[in-house]
Amino acid sequence: MDARTRILSRIGHALKERPKALLPEHPHAPPSANPLDLFLKRLAENGAEGHLLGEERARKLLGELSQGLPGAAYGRGVPASFRLLPELPPEEAPLGVSWALFAVAETGTVALSSEDGRRAQLLPPVHLVLVEEGRVYPSLLEALLDLKALPSALGLHSGPSKSADIGQVMVKGVHGPGRLVVAVLQGSW
Amino acid sequence: MQAKAKLYPKEAAKLLREKPGVREAVTGATLHFEEGRKKAYGEIDAEAFRERAKRVKDHLLTHLDHYLELAEKRLRENGVQVHWAEDPLDAHRILREVVARHGVKRAVKAKSMLTEELGVNPLLQSLGVEVLETDLGEYLIQLLGEPPSHIVGPAIHLALSDIQRLFHQRFGTPLNASPEALAAVARKVLRDAFLTAELGISGANFLVAETGTLVLMENEGNIRLSTSLPKVHVAFVGIEKLLPRLADLALFLPLTARAATGQRLSTYVSLIQGPAKEGEEGPEEVHVVLVDHGRTTLLHDPEAWEVLRCLRCGACLNACPVYRQTGGHPYGYVYSGPIGAVLDPGLLGLEEAYPLPYASTLCGACYEACPVKIPIPKLLLTWRKRAVERGLAPIWERGAIQALAKVMESPTLYRLFSKALRGLPLPQHLLPLLRAWTEGRGPLKPSPRPFHELWKELEAEDGR
């Protein structure tokens, strides 16, 4: 008998007399008004920066973030119109720009797919995430119930990298980006 | 990990005597965590969340064989290599094969209590692999050669000055370097490790059976990096870590974050489906090792099986007035505090861990904090009862308790004995019960007059 068989048979034996517990249904998501306000509020509370912008102003924000930088690392899904700086490898880039799969208002979260990349989301000290207005879900439950296929890896980012492991003092940018900027793009893309 | 839980009373007294700074550091950190948790619970209908989470986990555990088989099937469909390990030896064999096949020289590790159980670091070192803990707190204690003292904050027993001294010796930073400067030094060392390691090792907070999704929570980004940059990722997953459905995460992720750190959600959550697809960044190989190591024995236990709901959030540690005095080290095993006191006897056997269920005042704060409503105070009593039944409690203690019961039941005997104790010089060095108390403390000084006399006096005054 291999380890698998032995473990499963011990479990079967352990559960023989145990009454089975029922699986509760998921709760109903509370009806929510426009999730965008909540999303921006939560981002700010998480220590991130959030903006609701049209394309023109979004490009302006990117221009401001790019000031004086030699280049940026881009996620695959970032449209050409947002690639203002020359592309650099993520290990060297001072700025990473990603295109989010979706966002969640209640937790102030952007969801980043491995199809967009991984290094640009993690290695540069500043991370700009672009997300379409129509992809902001009010709650995590709605987002997960709506998720049809999962990529190899999905990263839920809800703020800058942080740690209080040194003397209980909060330090930002420990391993991941110390600054997270989210641009919610108005209109359809 | 070699368990030293039997030595708890001695080790706790020794720590309080020799490292008084630990109590201050741990109390400060845990009270901060506890305050955050209370605030975060206050924002939601915590009772409803906890009850729902308990029910989901109970369902999972009472159908564990079904969900393990489902998870294995889904993981394989996703291109993940699935292994089963009954004990550390199985886990070591699996890891040795991966290391040999890929010529691993360097490994980066995301914080995982299960890998502490399994002794993953010593194994890798014995294979000549350089292994770096990448969670900042874990990295600190790895430099010091210490085990974690808290499930979530492994280095909370260290004061800033301890870390300043450590980095001064190791990296030549000034003795008054700021936490930011210290973190920047660690970031640089570990960034290099992320970029060069061939192997990333992690645990898992959850494994979703329906989709075969590994789920990991963190705040630093080191887990995302450890599971994204090296070409091989091995995740060790306790068999009780499963969840039935993907959407169950909408309950468990925020609830765990609120309980652990008072956050609405951890800064980073990784949902890992499998190796990178053609042309994608990410590991070429993902391995999941499903680990038993005592969990099926616990599942069989008609009472203690409920501890398998544990999410490893550390909330009960933060709430515990006993844990707060010493931090986790004296408990002598991976899991300390209230959850350790009910989990370790199940995982290690009561013979190895019988003092731990006594490390509690039974105040119940751990139960109030627990996000999955594990009846910790009830289980502490269960283990104590078993310790007495199996003769693990010292014989003099049983005699003493029986004598105490007799004396307490009779007012006459009670008064006689209390008078005798006050009148006689106490042979403190002779009685083992007293010696256990006086070790590391001042001698017992009985009040010159008993409470019932003082009380009578007060009553008489009130009557006037």
Side-chain angles (χ1 to χ4, degrees):
Chain A
M1 270 207 299
D2 58 359
R4 179 186 186 276
T5 317
R6 280 194 299 269
I7 292 172
L8 286 173
S9 100
R10 277 202 300 272
I11 293 171
H13 185 61
L15 294 177
K16 219 164 45 195
E17 311 273 297
R18 179 100 11 100
K20 304 268 184 230
L22 289 174
L23 181 61
E25 295 290 315
H26 298 300
H28 295 288
S32 58
N34 181 4
L36 294 179
D37 291 340
L38 181 63
F39 181 48
L40 297 178
K41 181 168 170 257
R42 289 288 191 250
L43 279 173
E45 287 166 356
N46 294 349
E49 302 151 52
H51 308 273
L52 178 62
L53 305 165
E55 181 177 4
E56 212 37 55
R57 284 182 52 218
R59 281 167 51 87
K60 203 168 146 238
L61 172 71
L62 187 57
E64 283 164 22
L65 286 172
S66 307
Q67 207 89 62
L69 301 183
Y74 298 102
R76 281 192 192 175
V78 176
S81 57
F82 285 103
R83 296 175 180 242
L84 303 185
L85 290 170
E87 183 153 5
L88 283 176
E91 308 73 290
E92 296 163 27
L95 173 67
V97 186
S98 303
W99 186 260
L101 196 57
F102 62 87
V104 180
E106 68 170 353
T107 49
T109 304
V110 285
L112 300 157
S113 166
S114 52
E115 284 167 11
D116 198 58
R118 296 195 196 216
R119 294 180 172 229
Q121 303 163 5
L122 296 165
L123 295 175
V126 181
H127 188 201
L128 171 66
V129 178
L130 307 167
V131 62
E132 294 165 273
E133 170 182 43
R135 299 290 299 158
V136 181
Y137 289 92
S139 69
L140 188 56
L141 180 61
E142 286 157 282
L144 291 174
L145 286 172
D146 212 27
L147 201 56
K148 297 292 172 266
L150 282 153
S152 315
L154 186 67
L156 308 180
H157 292 206
S158 306
S161 156
K162 55 175 175 275
S163 171
D165 282 342
I166 297 184
Q168 303 308 308
V169 181
M170 190 60 77
V171 175
K172 282 187 185 178
V174 179
H175 291 299
R179 190 172 168 205
L180 174 67
V181 186
V182 178
V184 184
L185 302 174
Q186 289 172 317
S188 58
W189 284 81
Chain B
M1 178 180 175
Q2 185 70 39
K4 293 183 188 137
K6 261 195 273 194
L7 303 175
Y8 172 79
K10 276 206 160 56
E11 291 296 320
K14 190 170 153 214
L15 182 135
L16 285 168
R17 218 167 35 235
E18 293 174 8
K19 297 180 180 171
V22 168
R23 180 198 287 208
E24 197 182 330
V26 173
T27 301
T30 49
L31 286 178
H32 182 72
F33 278 135
E34 173 71 348
E35 198 183 312
R37 178 195 65 77
K38 280 187 175 155
K39 192 158 162 267
Y41 270 23
E43 282 183 0
I44 54 171
D45 182 355
E47 172 56 28
F49 273 62
R50 293 167 70 221
E51 180 61 27
R52 177 175 291 277
K54 170 193 183 290
R55 287 170 56 201
V56 173
K57 270 288 180 184
D58 280 350
H59 170 80
L60 182 278
L61 291 169
T62 56
H63 299 78
L64 188 57
D65 39 5
H66 161 72
Y67 282 114
L68 276 168
E69 287 179 294
L70 178 61
E72 179 188 41
K73 184 161 172 269
R74 291 287 180 262
L75 285 164
R76 293 226 159 102
E77 287 165 3
N78 298 340
V80 174
Q81 303 185 36
V82 183
H83 313 261
W84 298 70
E86 290 188 280
D87 53 31
L89 286 180
D90 281 351
H92 291 185
R93 184 177 38 74
I94 294 158
L95 199 51
R96 231 184 340 254
E97 279 167 20
V98 171
V99 165
R101 192 146 37 84
H102 292 278
V104 175
K105 298 268 180 300
R106 210 173 203 200
V108 281
K109 236 178 115 245
K111 194 167 86 62
S112 147
M113 301 308 278
L114 177 55
T115 60
E116 295 284 333
E117 276 184 53
L118 299 173
V120 162
N121 289 10
L123 172 84
L124 287 172
Q125 280 152 2
S126 77
L127 299 175
V129 177
E130 183 195 10
V131 49
L132 282 116
E133 291 287 352
T134 60
D135 172 87
L136 190 50
E138 283 282 343
Y139 179 63
L140 297 176
I141 58 170
Q142 188 184 27
L143 289 176
L144 287 168
E146 291 181 1
S149 68
H150 186 284
I151 296 176
V152 172
I156 59 164
H157 59 291
L158 300 176
L160 175 58
S161 56
D162 298 325
I163 301 162
Q164 286 167 327
R165 221 170 16 251
L166 170 70
F167 273 51
H168 175 70
Q169 286 159 5
R170 281 296 182 117
F171 305 110
T173 50
L175 273 169
N176 61 355
S178 66
E180 284 81 9
L182 299 172
V185 171
R187 175 189 166 101
K188 198 162 174 297
V189 173
L190 293 170
R191 175 60 63 94
D192 178 55
F194 286 128
L195 291 169
T196 53
E198 302 90 354
L199 172 64
I201 294 176
S202 77
N205 289 93
F206 305 103
L207 169 58
V208 179
E210 145 187 276
T211 52
T213 309
L214 274 173
V215 185
L216 293 127
M217 304 171 65
E218 51 153 344
N219 284 319
E220 296 180 8
N222 64 304
I223 298 186
R224 286 227 63 202
L225 286 161
S226 299
T227 59
S228 289
L229 298 193
K231 65 178 178 183
V232 185
H233 171 206
V234 178
F236 291 92
V237 185
I239 53 171
E240 82 284 18
K241 293 266 136 187
L242 272 69
L243 283 180
R245 305 163 295 195
L246 188 69
D248 288 320
L249 293 172
L251 169 64
F252 281 89
L253 291 173
L255 184 60
T256 308
R258 282 175 192 273
T261 50
Q263 292 169 286
R264 293 196 180 99
L265 192 62
S266 310
T267 301
Y268 298 106
V269 178
S270 301
L271 305 182
I272 295 169
Q273 206 59 18
K277 299 203 180 81
E278 189 73 30
E280 263 181 27
E281 291 173 346
E284 297 160 19
E285 265 182 35
V286 177
H287 297 257
V288 165
V289 186
L290 298 167
V291 181
D292 181 346
H293 200 212
R295 284 151 180 82
T296 51
T297 312
L298 259 169
L299 187 66
H300 195 78
D301 190 306
E303 289 172 84
W305 74 278
E306 293 196 61
V307 304
L308 291 173
R309 289 202 294 269
C310 177
L311 308 177
R312 309 286 191 266
C313 68
C316 61
L317 278 62
N318 302 329
C320 180
V322 176
Y323 171 86
R324 228 175 258 157
Q325 307 309 311
T326 63
H329 287 163
Y331 291 77
Y333 194 55
V334 181
Y335 307 105
S336 59
I339 191 63
V342 291
L343 183 57
D344 299 350
L347 292 177
L348 300 168
L350 187 55
E351 284 71 16
E352 287 301 316
Y354 62 86
L356 299 187
Y358 291 88
S360 167
T361 64
L362 302 175
C363 73
C366 47
Y367 174 71
E368 301 295 322
C370 179
V372 285
K373 299 178 84 172
I374 298 170
I376 297 175
K378 191 191 97 186
L379 292 173
L380 288 166
L381 289 175
T382 301
W383 287 119
R384 288 183 191 185
K385 188 162 167 273
R386 291 179 187 174
V388 172
E389 280 165 3
R390 293 187 209 170
L392 291 167
I395 227 129
W396 57 261
E397 183 186 288
R398 203 193 304 193
I401 294 287
Q402 280 167 358
L404 181 69
K406 281 249 162 0
V407 172
M408 296 301 275
E409 277 166 11
S410 148
T412 322
L413 277 179
Y414 175 82
R415 272 166 208 178
L416 188 73
F417 270 88
S418 69
K419 199 167 203 167
L421 279 172
R422 269 176 289 115
L424 299 170
L426 285 174
Q428 309 215 3
H429 57 291
L430 290 179
L431 290 171
L433 184 64
L434 292 179
R435 198 162 60 226
W437 173 265
T438 52
E439 240 177 21
R441 296 187 186 87
L444 294 171
K445 282 189 205 133
S447 156
R449 290 171 62 209
F451 178 76
H452 63 90
E453 273 179 27
L454 294 170
W455 184 252
K456 258 191 194 145
E457 239 175 63
L458 271 176
E459 272 187 336
E461 274 174 34
D462 275 2
R464 238 180 276 142

